[in-house]
Amino acid sequence: MQPLHLPIYHPKVSRKDGKSFIFDPLRRKNVALTPEEWVRQHFVNYLVTEKNYPEALLANEVTIALEQLARRCDTVVYNLYLEPLAIVEYKAPSVPVTQQVFEQIARYNLSLRVKCLIVTNGLEHYCCRIDYEKRSYAYLKEIPAYDALGNL
């Protein structure tokens, strides 16, 4: 898999019946190793090890209801009361982070109303803070540490 602009991480990768799998510690199971999953596992590791996000307050593949349809958020970050704080959307390294990607995550946010939206393809990482009172958003210079999320 392609090197990413994230700290070095050595995930548990295995093969079975000619297919590659990667262990997802949040879901506690092996999942198909795709380029997007490669980014997810590296980024979750970054959040936990570098930004002090508690692993117990992260969830992958969270199902939400959106306009009577079930959709899945790639990762949701929660506070201690299990209220959602942030949504993370992953793309494969070959997929550019575009306005369309932000529109996708913004649609998911109609249901969750989080403070922070994060999009990454493993090479580029973007984070924006949502201000519901002013009905605006602002891009942050870096991904905030976990303790800073509640104060955004």
Side-chain angles (χ1 to χ4, degrees), residues 1-6 34-40 42 90-97 120-125:
M1 285 285 167
Q2 178 174 352
L4 305 173
H5 294 159
L6 290 164
T34 63
E36 184 178 308
E37 194 63 43
W38 182 251
V39 171
R40 180 198 324 260
H42 278 77
Y90 306 105
K91 296 298 178 192
S94 62
V95 177
V97 177
T120 181
N121 64 3
L123 304 175
E124 299 177 300
H125 322 294

Side-chain angles (χ1 to χ4, degrees), residues 2-7 34-47 51 53 60 74-77 86-105 108 116-128 139 142-144:
Q2 178 174 352
L4 305 173
H5 294 159
L6 290 164
T34 63
E36 184 178 308
E37 194 63 43
W38 182 251
V39 171
R40 180 198 324 260
Q41 295 309 320
H42 278 77
F43 199 81
V44 166
N45 176 71
Y46 163 73
L47 292 177
K51 297 296 184 174
Y53 285 52
N60 285 338
D74 288 342
T75 299
V76 177
V77 180
I87 303 170
V88 186
E89 178 67 26
Y90 306 105
K91 296 298 178 192
S94 62
V95 177
V97 177
T98 62
Q99 183 63 34
Q100 207 171 12
V101 175
F102 270 99
E103 289 170 8
Q104 175 186 359
I105 197 172
Y108 294 165
C116 190
L117 301 177
I118 302 169
V119 177
T120 181
N121 64 3
L123 304 175
E124 299 177 300
H125 322 294
Y126 297 97
C127 180
C128 67
Y139 285 93
E142 64 180 74
I143 308 298

Side-chain angles (χ1 to χ4, degrees), residues 48-107:
V48 171
T49 61
E50 304 287 324
K51 297 296 184 174
N52 298 315
Y53 285 52
E55 194 172 298
L57 297 177
L58 298 171
N60 285 338
E61 295 293 322
V62 175
T63 302
I64 60 169
L66 185 61
E67 298 175 4
Q68 300 177 347
L69 297 172
R71 297 284 185 238
R72 272 192 235 141
C73 296
D74 288 342
T75 299
V76 177
V77 180
Y78 296 94
N79 66 16
L80 292 173
Y81 303 103
L82 299 181
E83 299 164 333
L85 290 175
I87 303 170
V88 186
E89 178 67 26
Y90 306 105
K91 296 298 178 192
S94 62
V95 177
V97 177
T98 62
Q99 183 63 34
Q100 207 171 12
V101 175
F102 270 99
E103 289 170 8
Q104 175 186 359
I105 197 172
R107 281 191 300 276

